C-alpha cells in the first residue's frame, strides 16, 4: 500500500488544474458580462465573502488561504488579455 497523499484520494492530482480552469472560465465570463475591471471586482467580492465566512467559522473548518493569491493573478491575466484585442482593433 502506498503512503503517497494522491493515492489516498483518487483524482486529487488534477484538482488544482480544475480549480484554475473553473476560476479562469468564471473570470472571463464576468469580464465579458460586466466589462473592464470586472474580473478584479469579482475577486475582491470573493475575498470579502470568503473572509467573512472564514472569520465566522474559523474554528470549525479552519482557514485555507493558499489559493487566494492565484485568483488575483488570474484576474490580472484576464484583464491583460482583454486589453490586447482592444489595442489591435485599429491595426
Amino acid at each position: 500500500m502506498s503512503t503517497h497523499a494522491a493515492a489516498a484520494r483518487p483524482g486529487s492530482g488534477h484538482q488544482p488544474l480544475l480549480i484554475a480552469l473553473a476560476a479562469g472560465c468564471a473570470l472571463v465570463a464576468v469580464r465579458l458580462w460586466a466589462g473592464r475591471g470586472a474580473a478584479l471586482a469579482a475577486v475582491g467580492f470573493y475575498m470579502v465573502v470568503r473572509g467573512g465566512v472564514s472569520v465566522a467559522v474559523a474554528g470549525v473548518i479552519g482557514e485555507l488561504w493558499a489559493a487566494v493569491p492565484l485568483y488575483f493573478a488570474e484576474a490580472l491575466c484576464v484583464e491583460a488579455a482583454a486589453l490586447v484585442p482592444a489595442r489591435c482593433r485599429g491595426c
Side-chain angles (χ1 to χ4, degrees):
M1 200 184 283
S2 176
T3 59
H4 192 265
R9 292 184 302 171
S12 63
H14 293 86
Q15 189 175 13
L17 179 62
L18 294 174
I19 291 171
L21 179 67
C25 290
L27 290 172
V28 168
V30 77
R31 174 65 164 83
L32 290 171
W33 181 67
R36 184 175 292 174
L40 293 171
V43 171
F45 178 75
Y46 166 77
M47 290 291 296
V48 169
V49 170
R50 177 157 179 168
V53 169
S54 291
V55 167
V57 295
V60 178
I61 64 171
E63 295 184 47
L64 304 173
W65 289 93
V68 172
L70 299 177
Y71 291 138
F72 278 118
E74 270 189 273
L76 288 173
C77 289
V78 167
E79 292 292 338
L83 291 177
V84 172
R87 289 186 184 178
C88 293
R89 285 185 187 155
C91 296

